[in-house]
Amino acid sequence: MARKTGSSGEKTAQAVRKAAINLIAQHGYAAVSMRQIAREVGVQAGALYLYTPDKQTLLFDIMSVHMEELLAAAERAFLPGDAPLSDRLEAFVRFHISHHIGRQAEVFISYMELRNLEPENFNAVEALRRRYEDMLGKILSDGARAGVFATGDLRVSTMAMIAMLTGVSTWFSETGRLTPAAIEDHYVELAFRMVGAPPPALSQAAE
Amino acid sequence: MARKTGSSGEKTAQAVRKAAINLIAQHGYAAVSMRQIAREVGVQAGALYLYTPDKQTLLFDIMSVHMEELLAAAERAFLPGDAPLSDRLEAFVRFHISHHIGRQAEVFISYMELRNLEPENFNAVEALRRRYEDMLGKILSDGARAGVFATGDLRVSTMAMIAMLTGVSTWFSETGRLTPAAIEDHYVELAFRMVGAPPPALSQAAE
DNA sequence: GTCTATAAGGGGATAGAC
DNA sequence: GTCTATCCCCTTATAGAC
């Protein structure tokens, strides 16, 4: 990713990406001009085209890199299918919260700017998102089949849990009242109760 | 709201509002031009300024009217503080889901376009949103104090539940597999389990 | 690798005719 | 109540100097 049009400085390429992420998260893709990004980086507007063929590709790269990092990190954090279901759910929740807490700008962009992707790019990003959702879907469906989780409609429960968890990025603040660890614990508790299972920190007894 | 600059046709005013809502929800405030809105309405761009003093006010009106309608409808749907807590939570969840299902465009705008509001307008909309969140917060804190709901950290639980419920607007489709009534039921179940209370459809026994 | 200059077009908003 | 015409500014992207 981070497609170069020439053999330019890697440092500047990263600065462009970072500036674009911050500005787009703050003001929105359509509202941010290439001149603004250039000013933030400390170069002239024309120089940006050494690092991206156009503005649309810059957005697509931000979103697809974010989704690919999310998937790769999720796959590393995931427990195999033969691990206890409560461990698998807990690992997913803790991973999702901690990953999202440190990436508020990217998360925001990946939700908000889908509509500004050209159709081909949109489909690519959506496919990655669906793959991620399915990782939780698999845990919940395995749990429902095993009688450990009560999911009702699986798709609704999956979407509800993802929405609940991702919501952390709308209010989390580094300087806030709660530590990331405390927030993780809390969401683990909520997620377990949501599927009618005893939160791991409280007890191992059946409901 | 829907501030007029003159005494113009109410029908056109509504058409402008509706076109703006649909276009902004689809493409984003910054990406939609006044000319596009005018084309959708079937007038020339200049004529729009009979119905709004400027583009920013058009956005603010859409968002503040949406939030005020939400609050007014919520207050009508709400049960008094002396009603059973489970009834109050169920009423909130059913109201929230049904209200949001029919207003996907407005809901989307009210989340996405906050950053495009000028500071004064932003503060006004945020105050309305906070008032709405506090309505759920009150139900949960009353329930926690009565020992009926397990909320852990009240603010986290409130934000998590709002995020879970509002998420319905990202995937609901009129032509989808599930009816609004079935979706409502499902979210009621999830919400009750989330706070460790027995879903009303299943039983009235304490946990 | 970055700059300046510029092409080509779209933006919000207003004036004044009808 | 709406239209046409227009002002002035900003946009993305490219060309060519350094």
Side-chain angles (χ1 to χ4, degrees):
Chain A
M1 288 303 135
R3 302 163 184 186
K4 303 175 205 175
T5 53
S7 57
S8 309
E10 187 57 31
K11 222 170 79 177
T12 309
Q14 284 308 313
V16 168
R17 181 179 161 82
K18 195 178 160 195
I21 288 172
N22 289 334
L23 285 169
I24 293 173
Q26 212 171 348
H27 306 291
Y29 171 76
V32 172
S33 71
M34 295 298 269
R35 282 175 174 79
Q36 267 178 283
I37 297 171
R39 199 182 315 132
E40 185 79 11
V41 173
V43 297
Q44 292 300 314
L48 292 181
Y49 292 87
L50 294 166
Y51 304 99
T52 181
D54 51 38
K55 194 186 175 189
Q56 168 73 202
T57 305
L58 185 55
L59 176 64
F60 174 63
D61 281 351
I62 287 169
M63 294 177 71
S64 63
V65 166
H66 170 69
M67 290 307 298
E68 273 160 13
E69 283 177 357
L70 176 69
L71 271 168
E75 273 154 17
R76 284 196 301 275
F78 266 42
L79 297 178
D82 56 2
L85 277 158
S86 59
D87 291 359
R88 289 169 65 197
L89 179 58
E90 182 178 355
F92 179 88
V93 172
R94 291 195 183 279
F95 163 74
H96 188 95
I97 296 295
S98 68
H99 191 89
H100 279 64
I101 268 183
R103 290 170 179 79
Q104 282 167 298
E106 290 93 328
V107 169
F108 198 69
I109 292 172
S110 288
Y111 272 81
M112 302 292 190
E113 305 296 354
L114 279 170
R115 61 191 172 182
N116 284 312
L117 288 176
E118 287 163 6
E120 190 184 348
N121 294 339
F122 175 87
N123 290 334
V125 172
E126 272 300 285
L128 294 171
R129 177 190 311 283
R130 183 65 194 230
R131 268 181 57 200
Y132 183 71
E133 290 168 5
D134 286 346
M135 294 174 86
L136 175 59
K138 183 69 165 55
I139 295 172
L140 295 186
S141 68
D142 284 357
R145 197 159 356 91
V148 178
F149 299 149
T151 64
D153 186 275
L154 182 70
R155 181 77 182 143
V156 175
S157 295
T158 304
M159 295 307 284
M161 192 175 288
I162 293 261
M164 175 186 83
L165 297 175
T166 305
V168 71
S169 64
T170 65
W171 60 263
F172 173 74
S173 159
E174 300 271 1
T175 60
R177 180 170 54 88
L178 299 166
T179 64
I183 294 169
E184 250 186 48
D185 288 347
H186 201 87
Y187 274 102
V188 167
E189 200 178 321
L190 291 171
F192 271 75
R193 284 208 298 251
M194 214 171 127
V195 292
L202 299 180
S203 113
Q204 289 298 103
E207 190 186 28
Chain B
M1 289 301 132
R3 306 164 182 185
K4 303 175 202 171
T5 54
S7 58
S8 309
E10 187 57 30
K11 222 170 82 179
T12 310
Q14 283 308 314
V16 168
R17 181 179 161 83
K18 194 178 161 195
I21 288 172
N22 289 336
L23 285 169
I24 293 174
Q26 211 170 348
H27 306 291
Y29 170 75
V32 171
S33 70
M34 295 298 271
R35 284 173 174 81
Q36 266 179 283
I37 296 170
R39 199 183 315 130
E40 185 79 10
V41 173
V43 297
Q44 291 299 314
L48 292 181
Y49 291 87
L50 294 166
Y51 304 99
T52 181
D54 51 39
K55 195 186 176 191
Q56 167 73 202
T57 304
L58 185 56
L59 176 63
F60 175 63
D61 281 350
I62 288 169
M63 293 176 72
S64 61
V65 167
H66 170 68
M67 290 307 299
E68 272 160 12
E69 284 177 356
L70 176 69
L71 272 167
E75 273 154 17
R76 284 196 300 275
F78 266 41
L79 297 179
D82 56 2
L85 277 157
S86 60
D87 290 359
R88 289 169 65 196
L89 180 58
E90 182 177 355
F92 180 89
V93 172
R94 291 197 184 279
F95 164 74
H96 189 95
I97 296 296
S98 68
H99 192 88
H100 280 64
I101 268 182
R103 290 168 179 81
Q104 283 167 298
E106 289 93 328
V107 170
F108 198 69
I109 292 173
S110 289
Y111 271 83
M112 301 292 189
E113 305 296 356
L114 278 170
R115 59 190 173 184
N116 284 313
L117 288 176
E118 289 163 6
E120 191 184 348
N121 294 338
F122 175 86
N123 290 333
V125 172
E126 272 301 285
L128 294 171
R129 179 191 309 285
R130 183 63 194 232
R131 268 181 58 199
Y132 183 72
E133 288 168 4
D134 286 347
M135 294 174 85
L136 175 60
K138 184 68 166 54
I139 294 172
L140 296 186
S141 67
D142 284 356
R145 197 158 356 93
V148 179
F149 299 150
T151 63
D153 186 275
L154 181 72
R155 180 77 182 146
V156 175
S157 295
T158 304
M159 294 306 285
M161 194 176 287
I162 293 263
M164 175 186 84
L165 297 175
T166 304
V168 71
S169 65
T170 66
W171 59 263
F172 173 74
S173 159
E174 301 271 1
T175 60
R177 177 169 56 86
L178 299 166
T179 63
I183 294 169
E184 249 186 49
D185 288 347
H186 200 87
Y187 275 102
V188 167
E189 200 178 323
L190 292 171
F192 271 76
R193 284 207 298 251
M194 217 171 126
V195 292
L202 299 179
S203 116
Q204 288 298 100
E207 190 188 26

